């Protein structure tokens, strides 16, 4: 039997390709701060004792929240 040795495909049209979630979150925190970030994206990990570590854990487990963070990042860098 042959093994399926697929190489990761390039994503030239994906603006998030190669950017880590931690980098996105750190950028947004430096741009807005935790309080404004919590106002812009209504999730508890930004409002109640926020840290990068706890927020990353939540965002990695919660696809809808990660999508909101990624969309805010894309809107922010386009300005």
């Amino acid at each position: 039997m042959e093994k399926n040795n697929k190489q990761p495909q390039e994503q030239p049209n994906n603006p998030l390709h190669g950017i880590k979630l931690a980098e996105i979150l750190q950028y947004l925190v430096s741009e807005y701060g935790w309080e404004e970030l919590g106002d812009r994206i209504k999730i508890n990990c930004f409002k109640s004792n926020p840290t990068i570590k706890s927020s990353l854990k939540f965002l990695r487990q919660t696809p809808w929240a990660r999508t909101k963070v990624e969309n805010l990042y894309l809107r922010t860098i386009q300005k």
Side-chain angles (χ1 to χ4, degrees), residues 7-9 13 20 22 26 29-30 44-46 50 53 55 60 73:
Q7 297 274 334
Q9 291 184 331
N13 295 327
K20 295 180 181 180
Q26 289 168 344
V29 170
S30 69
N44 206 30
C45 71
F46 293 161
K53 185 177 178 181
S55 297
R60 287 182 179 127
Y73 174 76

Side-chain angles (χ1 to χ4, degrees), residues 3-34:
K3 289 184 180 177
N4 191 356
N5 291 329
K6 286 189 175 181
Q7 297 274 334
Q9 291 184 331
E10 292 292 317
Q11 299 180 10
N13 295 327
N14 182 354
L16 296 174
H17 182 69
I19 302 174
K20 295 180 181 180
L21 182 59
E23 294 169 2
I24 292 172
L25 186 57
Q26 289 168 344
Y27 176 83
L28 291 174
V29 170
S30 69
E31 188 75 19
Y32 298 113
W34 287 112

Side-chain angles (χ1 to χ4, degrees), residues 43-57:
I43 52 178
N44 206 30
C45 71
F46 293 161
K47 292 181 173 258
S48 177
N49 197 20
T51 65
I52 295 287
K53 185 177 178 181
S54 65
S55 297
L56 285 173
K57 183 177 179 182

